[in-house]
Structure formats: C-alpha cells, structure tokens
Amino acid sequence: MSLMDMYVHRDTPIHRLDPRVKIILAVFLTIFCFFLSNILLLFGLFLLLQLLILSTGVSIKRYSSSLWLVGRFALIFVILWPFFDKTGETVLLDLSIYKVTLESLLRSLSLALRILVMASGWFLLLYSTTQSRLVRGLVKLGMPYDLGLSLSIALRYIPHFIETMDMIKDAQVSRGYEVDSGGPWRRVRNFIPVLIPTFVFALRTSEGISASLVSRGYGASPVRTYHRDIRVRHTDAALITLIVVSVPSAIILDLMNLISI
Amino acid sequence: MNPPPIADLTDVSFTYEDGTRALDGVSLRIKSGERIGLIGENGAGKSTLCKHLNGLFHPAKGKVLIDGEDVAKSKASHLARTVGYLFQNPDHQIFKSTVYDEVAFGPKNIGLRDNEVADRVERYLELTGLSDLAKSPPLMLSFGLRRMVTIASVLSMEQRLIILDEPTAWLDYGQAVLAKEAIRGRLASGAAMILVTHDLQLVAEMADRVVIMSGGRVVADGDAKKILSDPDILMKYGLDPPPLTKLANELLSEEAASEIFAVADFINAVKKKKWKASK
Ligand SMILES: Nc1ncnc2c1ncn2[C@@H]1O[C@H](COP(=O)(O)OP(=O)(O)O)[C@@H](O)[C@H]1O
Ligand SMILES: [Mg+2]
C-alpha cells in the first residue's frame, strides 16, 4: 500500500469542485470543531462526511486504515477521559479513580467525534485534489507559493512517515533491541535508535523532493505560469457561500444553546 | 531423536487491521541448515510470513514454533537471539556514528561479552570488506555500502535462522560476491536461511528448497532444482524464470533442461549435444 500520495484518480463531482471549496470546508470544519460540542450535530456531520469521502471512490480498505490512524487517538481520549473528568450525575461505572458518568462519556464522545470530523474534512480534500490543484487553491486564497507547495507535500507525507517509523522500530527490535521497556525516561531514551533513522529518512526524502523539484525547473523563473488554472463555477460559488454562512451560524446556535440534546 | 525443526508453522493465518487477509492457512517446517528460497509476486504474503518467524507478528490463528518454543509466548527482541532478519532498506536501521558501533549493536543487545562482541565485529567487517571503513559514519556511505553494513550487522549476531529480504539488491558485482560469500559462511556453520527475492538466479545459486507463495498461501514447496527448472509453474505464479532456465527449456531435451542451474551445466549439456528433438 503506497501512502506516498493520497490522491484517488477518479473523476467524481467532489473531484471537480474548485479546490478552494474543499480547502475552505476543511478549514471551517477544523475551526467549527473547536467550538461545537453538540453530539448529534457532530455525529450527523461525521456521517455526511463519510458519504462524501466514499463518493470520491477511495477504497474502503485504504480509507479505513487511514481513518484508524486518527481513530486511535480518538479512542485513547475516550478511554482516558474518565480519569480526569468525574463530574456528572448518572454514574455508569465507579472504580474510584476511574469513574464513568453518562455526562462525561458524552463529553468524551463529542471530543472524539470532533477529532474525526476535523480529520475527515482534510481526508476529503486530499483524496479528491491533485497536488497541483491543491497548491493552486492555497495560493489563490493568498498563501505564498513556496509555503503552499511545502504544506501540500508535508500533508501527503505524514502517513508515509508513520509507516516508516513502524518499519524502523521492527528493524531495531529484530536486532534484539527492547523499545518498550523500563520507566518513562528509559522509554524516551529507548526511542533514539528509532528516531535517528526516522530523522535521516525525513532529511533524505526532503532532499530527494527538492532535487526533483529543482530538476524540473522549480524556482527557475520569478513569475509562474499555470498549465491549467482554476476557475470558480456557479456550484463552487454556491457551496462556498453555504459553508461560510452555515458553519458560523451553527456555532452561534450551539453557543446560544438553541440546539441541545 | 531428531532435533526439533528450527521453525515449525502450523495452519497460520493472519489478517491486517484493515481487513487484508495476508496469510491463509500456511504450514511450513524448516529444518536446521535448510536453505529456502521464498518467492512469489508482490503482495503474496512473504514479508508477513517472515515477520511471524521472529515474533514481530503473532498468528491470529495457528501456531508458530521457533526451536520448539511458542512464538506467541516470547518477544521479538528475545527471539532475535535465534532468528536474524535483514530488512530491505538499510536506512531503516542505521543510527550509530561509526560502522563499527553499528555492527556491534546487535551482538551487544543479545548479551555477548565485550571481547566476543569485538571479535565478531572484526570478523564480519572483514568478511564484508568493510574493515577499512570501521571508523566511518555509516550514514555517509553509498547505498551499496550501507547495505553491506546491515548484512554484517545481522550476520554478526550468528543466529540459527537468518531471513534475508533481497540481500543483494543495489549491490555492485563485487559487493554481491562478497555478500554471498559471507552468507554462505553462516550457512556452512549450520544456520538455516530464508531468502526472499525476485531474483531467481540468486535463488538457484543459494537455495536448496523453494517455497512459492501466492495470495497468502504456500502454493508450491519442494526441491529448488525441480521448481526452478519448471517454467510453467513459475509463470503460473507470475514469476520470471531465470534466463538460463528459459534457454534450456527452449533448446535442450526435457531431461537435460531439468539439470541446468549454472552456465557450466548449460555448456556441458551443449557439448554432449542434448538438444531438444525437433518437431
Ligand atoms: N501494514 C499493512 N497493513 C495492511 N495491509 C498490509 C500491510 N502490509 C502488507 N499488507 C497487505 O498484505 C498482503 C501481503 O503483503 P506482504 O506480506 O508484504 O507481501 P510480499 O512481501 O509477498 O510482497 C498484501 O495484500 C499487502 O497489501
Ligand atoms: Mg515484501
């Protein structure tokens, strides 16, 4: 499974959207998730995003393993939450230091959903947008070209780094090295044989990328021309308006407690 | 009584988190000193199988015994005393500041005493032609030399079973010769080997038994010469027979073709005029 590039080669309505629509959606969802806590709304949004993501034609196998990378964090939150939040009336489980109440469970679930919704917005963008359109969109939204390019490359490489780190850990364990033993400080130090190759891998990768960019004429001319420029169509404009209007109003409604469970 | 096989897999199945069934009822018994060429298309399950042999993975179903010991009950870092694993990419393991220290890392981990560590490191640096580079930073070496460093660092642990994933890829001719000699040295002292590669000529040179995997199953398992000289079975599983095999099967009698594994065999058969009967 190559995670180097998340883009799914298809031609779906989501693919055809102006990249700016999807960028704005991802950014707004990220902001939205900081404010919104209504679990029903989050859940509905999550389901809607899953439908949209699957409509990009990404294979369920590939998508579920990407989602699981994020899902792991969400799950850890839900599991650890009762250690820190013991408030609430309806007690579901009480082991003194680990007390689960209905209210705290809902709070942790809403937190987990926020993480998943946030990630889903970015998945939707990355699955359905080629690198060149992504950069083009970012630049048109006002980002400097170099930064836009670096960001889009970085986003695409994150899963690859995680995968590589797992492989490096396997290689060192196979040489008789114990990574997961000892107290917390030991464990941090134990990680050095994994971190150094990961770091070197990152350097070599970025060296490789920049060499291949330069060899294809990156930075040769101060003024860039674009092979295929992006243009906002009516649907795109309508969607941008919808996102820009609906997301903040949902937040306001939520803050005013107008939609409550 | 016979010694227990070094590795004994019974009906092993394994499914990845995302639902990919990578192993589907694999049974395999490897005796001490056996030299196995493990071949099959990309995605056949070769790497997944190998990771079961050194405890990186535990079988979802079935049993893996290494030297009679249940892998599910021991850790990969402990099994490293018995099973060595050379991974494909040298950059996934190199982290020390000198070649010497990099090679010494494994032997130290398995608890060898200092003088023994020094002894092993010097011996395997010599065998892999790296003695002069002992004090160099391994990360600055060429890719081929980095690969040689990792070969030395795995062999120096002197395990009884070594798994080698494409050990000679990216090596130049001289390096490949050295690497093969160093590996043969380990085999001569009784170690068993699993060689994972797409290079069937290498398998012909190094292995006495061939196991073909496809779709998570073992689909052929037998004498290396028999399997490698049979282009039909190789091609059925998407493998490209060595050029010599193709040539022999085109030109020589069926009987003679089944004996051809090296250029010298081919020359002999030609001298004895064992041509294929013309149709
Ligand atoms: N980390 C993983 N997560 C999910 N699927 C995997 C993973 N690693 C391998 N696979 C899948 O398992 C199957 C067997 O892979 P692998 O053992 O690497 O085969 P080989 O080494 O013969 O090329 C393939 O379908 C591959 O896509
Ligand atoms: Mg493999």
Side-chain angles (χ1 to χ4, degrees), chain A residues 61 68 172 174-175 178 204, chain B residues 20 54 93 102 109 139:
Chain A
K61 176 182 149 184
W68 177 235
Q172 305 300 32
S174 300
R175 299 165 83 193
E178 296 213 12
R204 283 197 207 277
Chain B
T20 312
N54 78 335
Q93 68 161 70
E102 185 63 40
N109 283 336
L139 283 166

Side-chain angles (χ1 to χ4, degrees), chain B residues 151-173:
Chain B
I151 291 175
S153 75
V154 171
L155 294 183
S156 67
M157 295 172 75
E158 300 202 335
Q159 297 100 336
R160 291 176 50 211
L161 171 63
I162 43 176
I163 301 167
L164 307 169
D165 198 344
E166 295 287 2
T168 57
W170 299 97
L171 295 183
D172 67 30
Y173 175 72

Side-chain angles (χ1 to χ4, degrees), chain B residues 124-269:
Chain B
Y124 284 92
L125 286 181
E126 178 81 43
L127 284 170
T128 47
L130 294 169
S131 300
D132 293 342
L133 297 170
K135 292 205 171 64
S136 315
L139 283 166
M140 298 297 156
L141 301 176
S142 69
F143 193 86
L145 286 172
R146 301 209 289 280
R147 162 65 52 80
M148 291 302 270
V149 170
T150 60
I151 291 175
S153 75
V154 171
L155 294 183
S156 67
M157 295 172 75
E158 300 202 335
Q159 297 100 336
R160 291 176 50 211
L161 171 63
I162 43 176
I163 301 167
L164 307 169
D165 198 344
E166 295 287 2
T168 57
W170 299 97
L171 295 183
D172 67 30
Y173 175 72
Q175 289 168 339
V177 170
L178 269 180
K180 285 186 275 189
E181 270 318 302
I183 294 165
R184 285 201 185 96
R186 278 301 301 140
L187 301 178
S189 43
M193 168 187 77
I194 296 182
L195 170 65
V196 182
T197 181
H198 292 287
D199 178 355
L200 298 193
Q201 193 57 49
L202 182 68
V203 176
E205 282 174 48
M206 305 287 293
D208 50 30
R209 175 177 163 196
V210 164
V211 173
I212 304 183
M213 288 191 71
S214 175
R217 293 165 182 271
V218 170
V219 290
D221 179 355
D223 182 56
K225 303 204 160 183
K226 222 180 207 134
I227 293 181
L228 291 178
S229 62
D230 184 348
D232 295 338
I233 186 150
L234 294 175
M235 275 170 347
K236 180 172 171 197
Y237 295 111
L239 299 159
D240 187 29
L244 213 49
T245 304
K246 287 194 237 176
L247 212 54
N249 275 280
E250 282 296 317
L251 297 176
L252 302 175
S253 72
E254 197 173 311
E255 194 200 346
S258 67
E259 307 269 307
I260 309 296
F261 304 100
V263 174
D265 303 335
F266 190 82
I267 294 173
N268 266 331

